Every structure is written in C-alpha cells, then in structure tokens.
Amino acid sequence: MAKGGETTAEGSGGLKGSYLFLSVFLSGGAILVIEIAAGRVLAPHFGNTLYTWTSMIGIILAAMAAGYAAGGRMADRNPTARMFFLIMIAGAGLVALVPVLRAVFLPTLEKGLSLRSGPIFGGLLLFAAPACVLAALTPYAVKLSSRGAETLGTVTGNLFTWSTAGSIFGTFITGFFLIPTFGLNAIFLSTAIALAVIGGTGLYLYPPSSGDGGGGKKTGGQALKSVLVFTGVSVLAGATWTGSPPGLTKETIHFRENMYHTLRVIEGEREGKQVRQLFLDYQPEGAMVIGDDRSTYFRYTRYLALGPAAVPDIRRMFFIGGGAFTMPKALNLMLPEAEVVVAELDPDVVETGKKYFRLDKYPRIKVISGDGRLTLKRAGGKWDFIVGDAYRGLRSIPPHLVTREFFAEARERLSPGGAMMLNLIAARSGPGGALYASVYRTVASVFPDVWVFSVDPKLPANAQNILLLAFRDRDAAHRRKFLERLETDPDLKFAAESRVSPPSPRSYGPVMTDEYAPVEYLINLGL
C-alpha cells in the first residue's frame, strides 16, 4: 500500500492511459520552451554569445538532473496522482514568474556582471527552478505506472520517450513559431497556463482515493491550497508584467521580440535634433535625424565618405548588415547612380527600416534577407566597395564574419582597385585591445593594404568605433593619391586626424579562422 492511501497499482491503472503521457509530453516540451526562449531573454543584457547559450544548456541540464533525482525520491515516499499534478501546477507557477523576475533583476545584473558570469547567474535565478520541478514529473510518472519489476524497463522507456518527444516538439515550435510570432513574456505565461490547466484537470480526474485517512486529507488539502494560491498569484503577476518587458520607455515607438533580436525604435530630442534610433537587444544599431537624411547622428557614419575617396569610380556597393540603413542611404545620396545591395539577416529589421527609417523612399537600394556571408558568396559579379557593418556592438560579433576565410571570400568578390570597410567596436589598447589586434591581423592576413581610423584616436583604452579600410590590391600610386586626398580635402580632415597605427606586434590577438575563432573570449577580456 502506498503512502497516502493510493496503491501504486491504482495510480497506475488510472494514469496508465493517454492523460499521463500527455502530462509528461507537456512537461518535457515546457522545459525546452524555457531553454530556447531563455537565450532570447538573456541576450539583450549579456549578448547573444556562446557564453549565453553554453550557460543555458548547462543550467537546464543540471536542473533536470536535480529534478530527476528529487522526483524519484518523492515518488518513493508518496506515489499518488494528486502529488504528481500538484508538482505540475507548482512548476506552472514558477514558469509564470519568469516575466516578473526578468523585469526586476536582469537590468540590475547587467550592470554588475560580465559576459561570462551574467548568463550563469541570470539563468540560475530565472530558469533553474521551473526546469527542476518540471523534470521531477517523469520519474514520478514511472513510479505511478509501474506494476512490478517485470515491466519496469518498458514503462521507464515509454515515459522518457514521451518526455523526450515533448522536448523535441517544444524545441521546434519555440524556434520556428512561438518566438517569431509572440513576445517572450507571452510565451512563458501561455506555457504556465497550459501546465496549470493540465495539472488542474488531472486533480479533477484523479481525486484522492476513499482510503485516505483524515490526517492525510487535511495535509493534502493544505498542500493543494498552498500550491493553488502560489500558482494563481504567479500567473496574475506574470500577466501583469507580460506587456512590460525590459527596455520599454516613453520614447519607444516600436517594440518586437523575434528569433534574432529584441527590436526597439525610440524617438526623442538629442543634441537639439529630433532623432529616431534602432536598438537591437541592448545596442544602438543606427539612427536617423528626422527630416534630414543627409545628416548623420553617430560619428562613425561620417567615415563612409572614405569609400568614394578610396575607390573613386564606385558602381556597385555591397553592405553586410542593414541596421537602420543609415549608411546605405547616405552612399545612395552620394552616388545616386551606383547599385546598392544590402544583406540583412533579420526580415523584421528590413520591415522596420521601411516603416520607421524611410528605406522605402530609396528604390535604388536592394535588400536581401539572409546571412551576409552566404548572400555575398551567392551574389553575382564583382563589387567596388564592400561594407561590413554586422557586428552588433561590443558584445555580439558573429564569429563566421570575422575569420580569414570570410575576408578571403570578400576580397575575391572585389573588383580590381576595390576596397572593403569594416566597422568594429573595441578598445585599441589594454585588455580590450586584444579584439582589435585579432581582427586587424585577420584582415591583414588576407588584404595587402589595411588602414585604420578611430573615432577617439586620443583615447585608445576606451571602447569605440574602429574603421578598417582594406584594399584589394597593393598599389603605391593609388596609395599616394588617397593619402593626398585625405590631407588636402577639407571634408576628409576628420578622417586624416583620426588615422591610427596598427596594433603593436607584441600585443595579444590571434588570427581567426573558421576552425578557431575565440570571439567571445576576446570580447570578454575587455569587459
């Protein structure tokens, strides 16, 4: 006779059917919904990096291991259907709290933690508890379904198969449907409600048996009341915070969370100008001075003038990364007859550009939604000028866009006399200078002539925009002409004054390849 009055056989007989499998399937799916969505929750605060995803995978696995152990022990002590569904409802309450914990704690953790430690502590705080509690359900279900040692292996295999099938379903539906369609807070709240509904229905379908003693009923009633109150309050709190994810301010005119970024468009007065800015996760990616497309807001965008100076006869230009499309629009205004193609990974960024940054007013700019490296490789013909502007701030650099192989592919697509300009945010000295040194050496391992410009040349230890201008060919005569243009053209005086030397040969910074690209490690050195 099991504790609490229900025999294992009775629990098995009632729960042996489809409802137990449905419950285990849902719990497995919920764990992976949490894990996949967790990466997008942490990315705006700590970057969409290898550290973020490694932390989340490790934390969820550790939480599941703890849940399996705890669930097995609980099942041995009290193998009842009532307790099984109470555990599920408690897990629902913990999932519903994620939007609240996210809003309250992550902005504070962001200020005090690094690229490495932030995802670990943030992940533990928000996601370890719900994953642990939900993982406890599968071993508990094994105990409820077991009729004896003869079929224990079959029962265990079947239930873990359904749990794993749920995890597979949760993985794909989150990445391919939920995140592209709904906000993150709404995903957590809906998952919590689904778990609570299944758990509540289970309590109704499988009430305590008549063999329960009075004391057991009283204790069970107290547990039921506590769990229901906790979950009810959590769901209400989660619903209250669902419409208020971190980052929303009075200046926000557009907000969207998708499978790539958290997009925000804000508008307000800056330095006496009415400015509209695009943020991807935590990082400002571009800005537009409202009413004046020729005016630039961020200082680094002025360096786009180096393109026509370095390559006087530009006919075709290719941009890797769109952002707010400030630079493609600026070059289109400088060279209205030139062909401009932009590869932008996120289709929502393209739509945002059309709606909020006047991209639709520039029919000569062709935008292709896709990965920049792959799109450049597939694009036909040669290009006179290629601009790499896909590095999202200091914390998020796509590794495949900073390797020797990538730069070799870019150089191969340049026409004779062509050049590539790369926008990097990094320090030029100190620990943070390792990223700059590594990127410079990687570019210089492919391009024969690389010039460096920095927006704050007198502050090398500060993180800043660094522009690397790499020429396809080594041409002494062309180099002299370009240098003379820099020194004599008043419009390029700012660039001449901000030209800086390459990194010291003694500084650390490996050449990165597709095989070895420790980008996150190099970034973390400077944080």
Side-chain angles (χ1 to χ4, degrees):
M1 180 75 71
K3 294 180 182 179
E6 283 187 69
T7 64
T8 303
E10 182 184 353
S12 172
L15 288 174
K16 196 165 137 183
S18 60
Y19 202 80
L20 177 62
F21 289 105
L22 173 64
S23 302
V24 171
F25 180 90
L26 179 60
S27 67
I31 292 173
L32 265 292
V33 169
I34 293 169
E35 181 175 350
I36 301 301
R40 294 299 313 130
V41 168
L42 297 175
H45 304 278
F46 307 109
N48 190 14
T49 71
L50 184 64
Y51 293 132
T52 297
W53 287 106
T54 300
S55 298
M56 282 318 309
I57 293 171
I59 287 169
I60 295 298
L61 287 175
M64 291 174 67
Y68 291 152
R73 287 177 172 81
M74 292 175 65
D76 285 341
R77 291 196 301 268
N78 185 21
T80 66
R82 186 184 187 86
M83 183 57 65
F84 176 86
F85 290 113
L86 282 178
I87 293 172
M88 175 173 278
I89 294 172
L94 291 170
V95 175
L97 281 179
V98 170
V100 181
L101 298 177
R102 174 192 183 191
V104 173
F105 291 108
L106 287 186
T108 302
L109 292 178
E110 178 185 351
K111 297 175 182 177
L113 298 177
S114 70
L115 193 70
R116 282 181 168 181
S117 62
I120 296 174
F121 285 97
L124 286 171
L125 181 63
L126 269 68
F127 307 111
C132 178
V133 171
L134 292 174
L137 292 170
T138 302
Y140 205 107
V142 171
K143 183 73 172 183
L144 292 176
S145 297
S146 176
R147 289 179 175 272
E150 296 81 3
T151 60
L152 182 59
T154 300
V155 169
T156 303
N158 287 342
L159 284 167
F160 273 92
T161 295
W162 277 92
S163 176
T164 303
S167 296
I168 295 170
F169 175 78
T171 299
F172 282 98
I173 196 173
T174 305
F176 285 84
F177 176 69
L178 295 180
I179 291 179
T181 307
F182 303 103
L184 294 170
N185 285 350
I187 292 172
F188 289 114
L189 185 63
S190 299
T191 301
I193 292 173
L195 289 166
V197 168
I198 293 295
T201 303
L203 289 176
Y204 174 78
L205 293 176
Y206 305 100
S209 72
S210 59
D212 282 342
K217 287 185 177 181
K218 182 177 180 181
T219 303
Q222 291 173 344
L224 174 62
K225 182 178 179 181
S226 298
V227 170
L228 292 180
V229 168
F230 165 72
T231 301
V233 171
S234 298
V235 170
L236 289 174
T240 301
W241 285 93
T242 292
S244 303
L248 284 179
T249 68
K250 293 180 180 179
E251 293 185 329
T252 303
I253 61 174
H254 176 67
F255 184 93
R256 179 170 174 79
E257 295 171 318
N258 67 13
M259 63 190 300
Y260 297 111
H261 314 106
T262 296
L263 288 85
R264 285 185 296 134
V265 178
I266 67 172
E267 184 177 314
E269 187 173 330
R270 303 287 188 276
E271 301 173 3
K273 303 175 180 179
Q274 197 68 14
V275 176
R276 185 174 292 169
Q277 297 183 66
L278 171 69
F279 282 74
L280 300 181
D281 293 333
Y282 62 91
Q283 177 66 33
E285 286 297 315
M288 177 183 74
V289 177
I290 296 177
D292 185 2
D293 282 0
R294 293 184 180 272
S295 179
T296 57
Y297 178 68
F298 292 121
R299 288 187 294 162
Y300 83 93
T301 56
R302 297 187 301 163
Y303 290 82
L304 200 60
L306 292 171
V311 186
D313 188 22
I314 295 180
R315 294 180 298 275
R316 303 188 76 210
M317 296 175 285
F318 191 96
F319 283 79
I320 299 173
F325 298 92
T326 305
M327 297 215 292
K329 291 190 301 181
L331 265 181
N332 180 246
L333 291 172
M334 291 182 200
L335 306 167
E337 300 304 317
E339 177 186 357
V340 181
V341 175
V342 183
E344 169 54 51
L345 179 64
D346 189 348
D348 284 334
V349 170
V350 180
E351 292 306 312
T352 301
K354 294 176 180 178
K355 185 173 182 180
Y356 295 99
F357 295 95
R358 291 174 45 83
L359 178 62
D360 57 328
K361 307 300 182 183
Y362 291 80
R364 293 283 297 177
I365 299 177
K366 178 183 178 182
V367 182
I368 301 175
S369 294
D371 176 77
R373 180 171 176 176
L374 185 60
T375 303
L376 177 62
K377 188 184 298 186
R378 292 176 174 175
K382 299 284 187 176
W383 305 90
D384 302 306
F385 191 46
I386 297 175
V387 179
D389 195 24
Y391 302 164
R392 290 195 292 112
L394 179 61
R395 295 190 177 192
S396 187
I397 295 179
H400 70 298
L401 296 182
V402 72
T403 66
R404 182 167 56 197
E405 291 84 352
F406 164 65
F407 292 123
E409 292 169 5
R411 186 185 179 210
E412 176 65 25
R413 302 315 304 271
L414 284 171
S415 58
M420 178 178 189
M421 189 167 75
L422 194 68
N423 176 34
L424 172 72
I425 297 180
R428 301 195 328 272
S429 66
L435 177 63
Y436 162 56
S438 184
V439 173
Y440 175 86
R441 289 178 185 141
T442 305
V443 174
S445 70
V446 173
F447 288 88
D449 195 9
V450 182
W451 297 41
V452 185
F453 302 86
S454 177
V455 297
D456 289 315
K458 296 181 180 180
L459 300 172
N462 289 7
Q464 58 193 277
N465 290 91
I466 300 172
L467 289 304
L468 285 78
L469 185 62
F471 292 91
R472 176 189 182 272
D473 308 304
R474 185 183 296 278
D475 186 332
H478 178 75
R479 181 187 179 96
R480 285 194 299 270
K481 289 181 180 179
F482 179 53
L483 182 60
E484 181 181 352
R485 175 85 181 270
L486 278 181
E487 294 174 344
T488 59
D489 190 336
D491 292 335
L492 295 177
K493 181 180 179 181
F494 74 94
E497 293 175 346
S498 62
R499 187 182 174 198
V500 296
S501 59
S504 167
R506 295 186 299 273
S507 62
Y508 171 72
V511 171
M512 290 184 280
T513 65
D514 286 345
E515 177 70 19
Y516 177 69
V519 178
E520 287 87 356
Y521 170 74
L522 296 171
I523 293 173
N524 190 66
L525 290 176
L527 297 178

